[in-house]
């Protein structure tokens, strides 16, 4: 992992990558960073942890660089790791700083309808942050608008335990 981080100029983001791995799979999958979709456009195509980390770190580096190049915060790039980099363009036009509220609006009004959910249908998401925020709901086809908040929390947990 350190080699990939160095190659991508992401040395300072090792804790962030570990938090993403924890958020995505807790390390219990070959595709530890769930990066198959960003690399291949579909799930379950990654065949090794090394490939997952290489493509995941590359995708994260692109998302963070795109966010920072557009005067947004790093957490916009982290949320874009889940939503796709078009989220950065949305944030540019809405204050240049990621927030849970902004990510939720993007999920509901842009991403979910673009991927076929024109009714605002939701499903239950049993995660403490979600339960406290809205009773535990995500929009079908809308990605995970809690993503950056989950990664922040998991990064704190990793730092406390290490």
């Amino acid at each position: 992992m350190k080699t990939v981080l160095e190659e991508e100029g992401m040395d300072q983001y090792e804790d962030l990558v570990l938090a993403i791995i924890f958020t995505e799979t807790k390390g219990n999958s070959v595709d530890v960073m769930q990066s198959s979709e960003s690399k291949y456009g579909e799930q379950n195509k990654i065949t090794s942890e090394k490939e997952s980390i290489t493509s995941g770190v590359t995708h994260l580096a692109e998302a963070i660089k795109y966010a920072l190049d557009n005067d947004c915060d790093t957490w916009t790039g982290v949320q874009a790791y889940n939503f796709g980099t078009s989220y950065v363009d949305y944030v540019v036009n809405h204050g240049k700083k990621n927030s849970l509220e902004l990510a939720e609006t993007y999920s509901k009004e842009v991403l979910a309808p673009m991927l076929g959910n024109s009714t605002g249908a939701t499903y239950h998401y049993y995660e403490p942050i979600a339960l406290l925020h809205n009773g535990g709901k995500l929009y079908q086809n809308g990605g995970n608008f809690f993503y950056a908040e989950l990664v922040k929390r998991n990064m704190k947990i990793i730092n406390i335990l290490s």
Side-chain angles (χ1 to χ4, degrees):
M1 179 171 73
K2 289 181 189 256
T3 305
V4 179
L5 288 167
E6 288 171 12
E7 288 171 1
E8 293 294 338
M10 298 275 292
D11 322 47
Q12 73 273 31
Y13 294 108
E14 183 175 356
D15 288 348
L16 177 60
V17 172
L18 291 172
I20 286 174
I21 290 170
F22 187 80
T23 303
E24 292 287 356
T25 65
K26 316 260 180 307
N28 295 323
S29 171
V30 170
D31 189 1
V32 293
M33 292 188 73
Q34 293 292 296
S35 55
S36 187
E37 285 184 73
S38 62
K39 184 174 183 181
Y40 295 109
E42 54 186 287
Q43 296 177 341
N44 304 316
K45 292 289 186 180
I46 297 283
T47 58
S48 73
E49 290 178 1
K50 182 179 180 183
E51 181 185 12
S52 179
I53 291 169
T54 300
S55 60
V57 169
T58 298
H59 176 58
L60 179 63
E62 290 168 356
I64 290 175
K65 182 177 182 337
Y66 190 56
L68 296 177
D69 286 351
N70 282 281
D71 299 319
C72 294
D73 62 319
T74 300
W75 294 106
T76 297
V78 172
Q79 187 64 51
Y81 181 83
N82 180 266
F83 278 163
T85 53
S86 61
Y87 178 66
V88 174
D89 300 324
Y90 184 81
V91 174
V92 165
N93 293 317
H94 293 88
K96 296 189 176 188
K97 186 170 193 249
N98 182 64
S99 69
L100 181 56
E101 293 74 22
L102 191 59
E104 182 174 12
T105 302
Y106 180 82
S107 174
K108 179 182 181 182
E109 297 178 4
V110 179
L111 192 56
M114 181 175 69
L115 297 175
N117 178 4
S118 58
T119 64
T122 61
Y123 63 94
H124 289 288
Y125 181 55
Y126 299 105
E127 160 61 50
I129 293 172
L131 291 168
L132 291 170
H133 177 75
N134 67 2
K137 300 221 186 308
L138 285 175
Y139 296 99
Q140 289 178 356
N141 301 329
N144 186 340
F145 61 86
F146 295 105
Y147 192 77
E149 296 304 314
L150 295 170
V151 172
K152 280 181 201 176
R153 181 202 59 202
N154 291 336
M155 204 157 112
K156 287 178 187 173
I157 290 169
I158 289 168
N159 286 329
I160 288 169
L161 296 176
S162 59

